[in-house]
Amino acid sequence: MTNVINEAEILAEIGRLITSSPDFGEVFEATAERISTLIPAETISLSSVDVQGGTYTTLYRWASDLPTQSPAPPRQLKGRGAEAAVVAGKPIILSSELRALQESNWQGIGEYPLASMKSWLIAPLIFSGEPIGVLHIRRTEESAYTENHLNLAQNISNQISGPIALANLHRDLAQSERELVFLSQMSDELANSDSSADMYESIERTIGNFIEFDRISIVRVDPEINSLVQSYQNGVDVPGIEIGTILNMHESQEKFDAWATELTATSDGGEYLPAGSVKLSHKDMGLESRVRAPMITTTGYIGAIALNHYEQNMFTLADQNFLRRVAAQAASALEKSELIEQAKTEATTQESIARIGRVVSEDLDLQIVYQRVAEELRKLVPYDRIAISLFDQDSQQMIAEFSEGVEIPGARPGDDITDADKSINWDSSGYASDSRNIDSTSKESEFEKILRDLGLVSWIQAPFGVQATGPIGFLSVRSRSHNLYDENSIKLLRQVAIQVTPAIQNARMFAQSQSLLEQRQRTTLLDEENRELQRVADARSQFLSTVSHELRTPLTAISAFSDILSHNRHGNLSERQISHIDAIRRSTVSLTALVDDLLDVSRADSGQLSLDKEPFDFQAIITEFSGVGESIAALKNQRLSIRNLGEPVWVDADRARINQILNNLVSNASKYSQDNSEILISSTVRSGRIEIVVEDNGIGIDAQNIDRVFIPFFRAENPETQMQQGSGLGLSVVKTLVELHGGAVEMESALGSGTTVRFWIPGIVDQPVS
């Protein structure tokens, strides 16, 4: 009888304790101690139950070695002792099988902390016929609980269920009031914010006050491209997903509805879907729990808010309901903000486009225009590389004109990039059909491989001046961010290309007009110079002709009289006088040769020099000339060697002029060679023509003057050459006479290594019949 009185008193005391405070947490420890006097226990815990959500959450613990986190993360009800008690609707003693199952379902860190508890009594808390929680009472002693303990547990449950239900109601009301305060604060912040980024941060702060998460993600619907766009994210990074990343839209409204309202306790399903990338599941990221709420306005879905957590069963229906309230309140504000931002963006865009229009009209230097366009375009379309290429009509090549940012080998300014992008198919609007993402396939070109290696995975391009013959060039931007560009980006790039096209055309027209003007000026200058050169040439020819004729008459008289005087009777003239007459005769011969050369130059200038051709044996003329050549060489004790043709070769040429050519070449070789040296004349027949070579071992001539030795009156400036008398006409006459025969002459020489002059003439004929 005494035990019954004591039990009644303890139950009454428990009733007084539990009703003494609207917050059961304040009196739980004292209440648990009273319970342990009725039912022996080493640990007691109280959990709330969400039957609809299939979870239970430990709220309070007494004398437990478990972490003191309050409340603990929600856990699945299925397969647990709590589920068995709720189903039974009365207290139960947990069987060893259920304890083993409970231990196997442990998801915490390390070993199961309640493994030592061999006796386990669970009492459901039921109010108005609905389970609202469970009371766990545990001992390490085997079979510690009896039927009497079950009856006591039922009495305790009856005693505390009502007050706990009232405490829960009080807690829910307080939670609701707190939520209203924060939602009102968020509403004010959203209404007064001018930035989407600030609005997203306000949404995250509001959610974070009530729900624990490891990642938050806000996506917006872009109806133009029928895709979701990652608009905000914080917490765990997901590879391939950044702000602005385009995500695949679900193929049906029903699937999107299911996705946007998802609440899961585990990592099954729920994949991230970045467009064009490999799918990543939540499990791949280790994110076990997730909850989403759609953002809906009168116009329909505008996006969704998603939360993820590393642990399982972290989100409840209450969490999802609160998230939906946040999403509903944020949707209208975000939509309004987006409209305002679109208007601001459009105004800024038009201002930038207008500024680009002014920039390109202020300068005809295209490189300056390109640089300023690149600066302005970056404000409209983000990029890691910008490039401008133009089509060259003359070479039929696409030439890289300008680039900034990531360098691409083979696509630098000035490079021919005609074949670089030949694998890209262009549509009528002038941008690549795969402009959002370069596809890496088995047919990948070398250029595309370079782009992929550089990480330039997004690309759009717009044409300059699309005409019937095609565009005159292209403006392209590339980025390392996946799926960065959309239809709006392409539209902006086209507008910029349209603005820049007149500048390119004007600059080209200006360059062409400048080129024509410079060409006309050069032509005028050349005409004036040609007229002056012609006048000088005519004057020179007239002078040479006049001087030659004026000199010839006295020279003829001097030559004749010196010949007469040389016919001396014995004793009539002294040796000294005879020597003087010989000197006169030699000078007369030299002057006569000079006059002949001057006349030849004058006739060549006026086009009056002609040949008197007739067939003759070339071997015979070489033999005849040998006497004259030896007399020239003998003046400096030089040897003249001749390698003549083995048999007669007849040629149709001017016999006297051939003699003149040989005379000039041998005289030149002798003049610029040392005493006692050798001069060699050789002749051969090659390819139906006569080739003659005159070689010496003289002072030679430097390479830079070789092409000038055939110019009339040219003489090298080195001292060895200047020491020798000469007019600089000999080789000029040789060249003129050889070319009149239809041949050519060339020289090989080096200072100090002698000189070789080689000439050839055509005209080999058969020997005439006698």
Side-chain angles (χ1 to χ4, degrees):
M1 184 67 181
T2 302
N3 288 338
V4 174
I5 294 173
N6 289 338
E7 290 173 2
E9 288 177 352
I10 294 172
L11 287 172
E13 188 177 353
I14 290 172
R16 286 194 298 273
L17 278 171
I18 204 167
T19 57
S20 64
S21 172
D23 184 358
F24 186 59
E26 295 179 357
V27 296
F28 174 73
E29 186 171 352
T31 301
E33 288 177 353
R34 298 297 185 278
I35 293 172
S36 67
T37 62
L38 293 177
I39 304 174
E42 294 172 42
T43 174
I44 298 174
S45 62
L46 179 68
S47 301
S48 64
V49 172
D50 181 357
V51 176
Q52 185 179 357
T55 62
Y56 74 102
T57 304
T58 302
L59 300 177
Y60 312 108
R61 300 186 181 94
W62 173 78
S64 173
D65 292 333
L66 288 172
T68 57
Q69 178 183 359
S70 179
R75 291 181 172 82
Q76 284 187 327
L77 196 59
K78 187 174 181 60
R80 307 294 179 118
E83 181 191 35
V86 167
V87 171
K90 61 182 181 179
I92 63 169
I93 298 173
L94 205 63
S95 66
S96 58
E97 290 80 6
L98 274 176
R99 286 206 314 272
L101 179 61
Q102 183 118 343
E103 184 173 349
S104 67
N105 289 330
W106 169 250
Q107 296 292 330
I109 299 173
E111 295 181 357
Y112 183 52
L114 297 174
S116 62
M117 300 297 167
K118 304 302 182 183
S119 296
W120 202 325
L121 188 153
I122 304 176
L125 304 180
I126 299 174
F127 181 76
S128 297
E130 294 292 333
I132 62 170
V134 288
L135 188 66
H136 294 262
I137 303 171
R138 310 176 189 87
R139 289 196 72 178
T140 55
E141 182 184 339
E142 290 277 2
S143 304
Y145 299 124
T146 65
E147 190 69 28
N148 182 54
H149 292 131
L150 291 175
N151 293 331
L152 286 171
Q154 182 65 62
N155 291 334
I156 294 170
S157 173
N158 295 337
Q159 184 78 1
I160 67 175
S161 292
I164 288 177
L166 290 175
N168 288 344
L169 179 60
H170 179 270
R171 184 193 63 205
D172 292 343
L173 289 173
Q175 174 79 356
S176 181
E177 183 178 349
R178 184 167 174 262
E179 288 178 1
L180 284 173
V181 171
F182 278 95
L183 286 172
S184 177
Q185 181 180 338
M186 183 190 75
S187 181
D188 291 339
E189 290 177 353
L190 297 182
N192 296 321
S193 178
D194 294 329
S195 165
S196 292
D198 292 341
M199 297 175 78
Y200 294 139
E201 289 177 2
S202 176
I203 293 170
E204 180 183 3
R205 281 196 305 272
T206 302
I207 296 171
N209 284 312
F210 298 92
I211 305 174
E212 181 185 344
F213 55 84
D214 292 311
R215 171 179 169 80
I216 181 172
S217 172
I218 301 177
V219 295
R220 300 288 295 275
V221 175
D222 188 335
E224 289 188 6
I225 58 175
N226 192 35
S227 293
L228 298 173
V229 179
Q230 190 72 37
S231 301
Y232 181 78
Q233 60 181 357
N234 196 16
V236 179
D237 288 329
V238 177
I241 297 184
E242 303 171 352
I243 302 300
T245 298
I246 298 173
L247 308 175
N248 288 333
M249 191 76 163
H250 295 271
E251 60 267 25
S252 69
Q253 188 66 44
E254 291 75 17
K255 287 192 176 183
F256 179 78
D257 289 342
W259 176 86
T261 57
E262 187 177 33
L263 170 63
T264 61
T266 65
S267 61
D268 298 332
E271 295 171 320
Y272 288 98
L273 302 169
S277 300
V278 177
K279 296 178 181 180
L280 288 170
S281 70
H282 291 97
K283 189 173 184 178
D284 293 332
M285 303 302 301
L287 297 170
E288 295 288 354
S289 303
R290 65 183 174 278
V291 60
R292 297 192 189 96
M295 293 190 290
I296 307 173
T297 67
T298 55
T299 60
Y301 281 103
I302 70 163
I305 303 174
L307 304 178
N308 298 90
H309 200 286
Y310 279 127
E311 296 187 28
Q312 291 187 357
N313 305 300
M314 280 302 296
F315 302 121
T316 65
L317 281 175
D319 293 333
Q320 186 178 49
N321 289 334
F322 177 70
L323 190 63
R324 286 178 175 177
R325 293 174 69 188
V326 172
Q329 195 160 308
S332 297
L334 286 172
E335 186 176 52
K336 180 180 177 182
S337 171
E338 183 175 13
L339 292 173
I340 294 172
E341 286 192 5
Q342 284 177 354
K344 288 182 179 179
T345 301
E346 183 64 24
T348 302
T349 297
Q350 293 308 316
E351 182 181 346
S352 295
I353 294 294
R355 190 159 48 246
I356 289 174
R358 291 193 297 273
V359 163
V360 300
S361 63
E362 289 172 356
D363 209 311
L364 287 170
D365 186 334
L366 284 180
Q367 290 302 315
I368 295 176
V369 169
Y370 297 152
Q371 184 62 52
R372 297 184 66 179
V373 167
E375 295 168 0
E376 292 295 331
L377 184 59
R378 190 182 291 277
K379 301 173 185 176
L380 301 175
V381 181
Y383 60 79
D384 292 307
R385 172 183 169 83
I386 181 174
I388 293 174
S389 56
L390 297 180
F391 186 69
D392 188 317
Q393 291 286 355
D394 295 333
S395 64
Q396 295 292 297
Q397 294 174 334
M398 188 66 73
I399 305 298
E401 290 284 322
F402 173 84
S403 65
E404 187 174 270
V406 179
E407 283 197 6
I408 299 177
R412 298 182 178 91
D415 289 343
D416 173 15
I417 60 171
T418 307
D419 296 329
D421 290 337
K422 63 184 179 181
S423 62
I424 301 298
N425 295 319
W426 297 93
D427 64 16
S428 58
S429 59
Y431 63 92
S433 57
D434 57 342
S435 60
R436 289 187 188 162
N437 193 33
I438 295 176
D439 183 23
S440 300
T441 66
S442 58
K443 296 181 180 178
E444 181 181 48
S445 70
E446 189 65 28
F447 186 70
E448 288 169 333
K449 182 178 183 299
I450 292 173
L451 295 177
R452 179 168 54 79
D453 291 343
L454 291 172
L456 297 170
V457 294
S458 294
W459 171 36
I460 55 174
Q461 187 158 264
F464 294 125
V466 178
Q467 303 165 348
T469 56
I472 63 173
F474 294 97
L475 169 64
S476 66
V477 292
R478 300 177 188 271
S479 174
R480 286 179 165 142
S481 298
H482 283 276
N483 308 301
L484 180 64
Y485 303 120
D486 53 20
E487 291 295 330
N488 187 54
S489 303
I490 296 170
K491 177 183 175 182
L492 287 174
L493 200 67
R494 287 181 189 159
Q495 287 182 279
V496 173
I498 289 171
Q499 291 282 5
V500 176
T501 296
I504 295 174
Q505 293 171 332
N506 291 339
R508 280 187 163 185
M509 290 177 64
F510 178 75
Q512 289 174 354
S513 63
Q514 286 293 102
S515 178
L516 289 173
L517 178 61
E518 292 174 2
Q519 185 177 351
R520 190 177 298 112
Q521 290 174 341
R522 286 196 301 270
T523 301
T524 301
L525 182 62
L526 286 173
D527 288 343
E528 292 176 356
E529 290 177 350
N530 287 335
R531 284 194 294 272
E532 179 63 18
L533 288 173
Q534 188 60 47
R535 186 191 66 77
V536 171
D538 291 344
R540 187 186 73 169
S541 296
Q542 182 62 36
F543 171 75
L544 292 177
S545 178
T546 302
V547 168
S548 298
H549 283 90
E550 291 298 324
L551 288 175
R552 183 174 286 280
T553 300
L555 280 174
T556 302
I558 293 170
S559 179
F561 284 117
S562 62
D563 284 342
I564 292 172
L565 289 174
S566 65
H567 296 300
N568 174 35
R569 289 183 180 181
H570 182 68
N572 196 33
L573 295 173
S574 66
E575 289 295 327
R576 184 177 180 182
Q577 290 171 331
I578 292 172
S579 175
H580 288 167
I581 291 171
D582 288 341
I584 291 171
R585 293 180 67 188
R586 287 195 302 273
S587 296
T588 302
V589 171
S590 295
L591 282 174
T592 299
L594 176 60
V595 169
D596 288 342
D597 286 344
L598 286 172
L599 281 173
D600 285 342
V601 171
S602 175
R603 291 182 187 127
D605 285 345
S606 61
Q608 297 177 354
L609 184 62
S610 60
L611 301 176
D612 185 14
K613 291 184 179 181
E614 61 177 354
F616 62 87
D617 180 5
F618 199 86
Q619 182 179 359
I621 199 172
I622 293 293
T623 303
E624 291 173 6
F625 175 74
S626 62
V628 177
E630 287 172 355
S631 64
I632 295 171
L635 295 175
K636 297 179 71 174
N637 294 322
Q638 296 166 338
R639 299 179 303 280
L640 178 66
S641 301
I642 297 178
R643 296 176 187 167
N644 207 352
L645 297 170
E647 56 186 19
V649 177
W650 286 74
V651 62
D652 186 22
D654 188 324
R655 189 187 190 103
R657 294 299 187 183
I658 295 299
N659 262 307
Q660 184 179 354
I661 292 169
L662 293 172
N663 187 78
N664 284 5
L665 291 178
V666 171
S667 296
N668 228 47
S670 174
K671 185 188 299 182
Y672 297 109
S673 295
Q674 297 83 359
D675 291 356
N676 301 309
S677 61
E678 182 181 22
I679 299 170
L680 173 64
I681 299 176
S682 59
S683 58
T684 56
V685 176
R686 290 183 182 175
S687 303
R689 62 192 188 189
I690 295 286
E691 184 177 291
I692 303 93
V693 179
V694 177
E695 301 176 67
D696 65 59
N697 298 307
I699 61 177
I701 187 170
D702 57 276
Q704 64 182 6
N705 284 324
I706 285 180
D707 292 337
R708 302 171 64 192
V709 295
F710 295 105
I711 298 174
F713 304 107
F714 172 79
R715 300 192 73 208
E717 295 180 357
N718 55 302
E720 293 85 351
T721 301
Q722 294 295 323
M723 288 175 59
Q724 304 296 327
Q725 292 184 350
S727 63
L729 290 174
L731 290 178
S732 173
V733 170
V734 168
K735 184 174 185 294
T736 300
L737 294 177
V738 169
E739 289 178 351
L740 275 175
H741 278 85
V745 61
E746 59 185 28
M747 175 183 285
E748 297 174 6
S749 184
L751 280 176
S753 300
T755 301
T756 298
V757 179
R758 179 181 291 102
F759 75 92
W760 61 266
I761 60 172
I764 293 178
V765 295
D766 295 332
Q767 180 177 351
V769 179
S770 302

